């Protein structure tokens, strides 16, 4: 099965592409795109992988679903296209970056600038129906993204895994804390941002860890 994904990830995940669950997932996704409005655009489904090759990953930020509003999702977790108003979670992320590192609040919500520095912005589910949050959960994407996280945890050393909220924490529960830095806090959504997301200092902690292990810090 030919999957359009960056070559290093295609090699790392080649066994997944041959499994029955993935074949069923592809059939489901193709039907969805041909019959209704799905986000992100088809050529952006694997944008997180395409933007951050396997051996260049330094930080992993795990989201849940793509944004389900028009023109929002661009294939990177928490990210939106240029010109799109910041969703509340992204606005809160930028506020914490500012408070933590002093970086100015950016004009663009497109997090490609992070991805190109080695931040894998990975949603657990890579597609969603328009205006139907969670509509593609339980179809196989979670198995696929679990496999990607596991490959990173097992084959790489000294990565930073950032897990916001209970969903991401469960997804990353297996990661070996002796080989990687795992940062957890409440989710940046308005419902939980003041319960411990603000003030978590994850961005400065990530950079401190990267620097201590001889890696270039991220310009957040």
């Amino acid at each position: 099965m030919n999957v359009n994904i960056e070559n290093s990830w295609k090699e790392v995940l080649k066994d997944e592409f041959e499994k029955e669950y993935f074949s069923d997932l592809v059939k489901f996704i193709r039907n969805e795109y041909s019959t209704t409005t799905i986000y992100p655009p088809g050529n952006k489904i694997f944008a997180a992988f395409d933007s951050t090759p396997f051996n260049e990953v330094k930080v992993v930020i795990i989201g849940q679903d793509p944004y389900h509003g028009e023109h929002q999702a661009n294939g990177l977790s928490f990210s939106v296209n240029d010109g799109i108003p910041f969703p509340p979670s992204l606005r809160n992320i930028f506020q914490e970056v500012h408070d933590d590192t002093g970086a100015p609040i950016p004009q663009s919500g497109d997090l490609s600038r992070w991805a190109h520095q080695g931040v894998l912005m990975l949603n657990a589910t890579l597609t969603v129906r328009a205006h139907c949050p969670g509509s593609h959960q339980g179809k196989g994407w979670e198995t696929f993204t679990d496999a990607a996280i596991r490959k990173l945890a097992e084959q790489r050393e000294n990565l930073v895994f950032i897990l916001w909220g209970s969903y991401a924490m469960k997804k990353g529960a297996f990661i070996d804390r002796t080989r990687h830095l795992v940062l957890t806090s409440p989710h940046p959504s308005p419902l939980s941002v003041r319960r411990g997301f603000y003030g978590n200092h994850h961005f400065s902690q990530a950079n401190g860890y990267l620097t201590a292990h001889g890696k270039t810090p991220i310009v957040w």
Side-chain angles (χ1 to χ4, degrees):
M1 183 183 302
N2 184 31
V3 176
N4 184 20
I5 189 173
E6 192 272 333
N7 285 335
S8 66
W9 280 108
K10 182 177 283 190
E11 178 63 24
V12 167
L13 295 171
K14 61 185 179 182
D15 291 345
E16 298 303 307
F17 300 136
E18 302 305 321
K19 293 180 179 178
E20 184 176 0
Y21 88 86
F22 195 82
S23 178
D24 292 342
L25 172 63
V26 168
K27 292 175 185 175
F28 169 76
I29 294 301
R30 284 176 174 164
N31 182 67
E32 287 284 278
Y33 272 93
S34 67
T35 58
T36 188
T37 301
I38 304 299
Y39 299 127
N43 64 349
K44 294 291 187 180
I45 293 175
F46 295 107
F49 299 98
D50 294 337
S51 301
T52 315
F54 182 78
N55 288 320
E56 296 178 17
V57 174
K58 296 189 285 189
V59 179
V60 182
I61 298 180
I62 297 176
Q64 190 165 354
D65 262 8
Y67 295 122
H68 54 85
E70 188 174 5
H71 303 308
Q72 287 183 308
N74 62 10
L76 307 178
S77 62
F78 297 103
S79 176
V80 293
N81 290 311
D82 280 341
I84 300 297
F86 299 165
S89 291
L90 182 58
R91 188 166 59 244
N92 292 336
I93 289 168
F94 286 155
Q95 185 64 52
E96 176 59 23
V97 169
H98 172 72
D99 293 345
D100 185 20
T101 71
I105 304 294
Q107 297 297 309
S108 170
D110 184 353
L111 299 180
S112 297
R113 59 187 180 275
W114 292 3
H116 295 152
Q117 296 180 74
V119 183
L120 181 68
M121 310 292 302
L122 185 64
N123 278 317
T125 303
L126 300 188
T127 55
V128 69
R129 282 188 180 184
H131 313 301
C132 296
S135 50
H136 284 185
Q137 291 178 8
K139 303 298 184 181
W141 279 133
E142 295 92 339
T143 302
F144 179 74
T145 53
D146 280 350
I149 295 166
R150 193 171 296 278
K151 291 290 186 180
L152 287 166
E154 292 177 352
Q155 296 185 20
R156 299 288 311 282
E157 298 284 345
N158 305 133
L159 300 182
V160 181
F161 290 87
I162 296 179
L163 312 178
W164 294 326
S166 59
Y167 183 90
M169 291 180 203
K170 290 175 185 175
K171 195 168 180 70
F174 67 87
I175 297 166
D176 185 348
R177 269 68 169 171
T178 67
R179 293 177 62 177
H180 306 286
L181 176 63
V182 179
L183 300 174
T184 63
S185 83
H187 195 273
S189 74
L191 293 175
S192 55
V193 68
R194 297 187 185 281
R195 298 176 187 167
F197 178 81
Y198 281 160
N200 65 22
H201 300 293
H202 282 180
F203 304 99
S204 60
Q205 287 186 68
N207 276 350
Y209 183 84
L210 293 174
T211 301
H213 289 87
K215 300 180 181 183
T216 304
I218 307 299
V219 179
W220 300 107

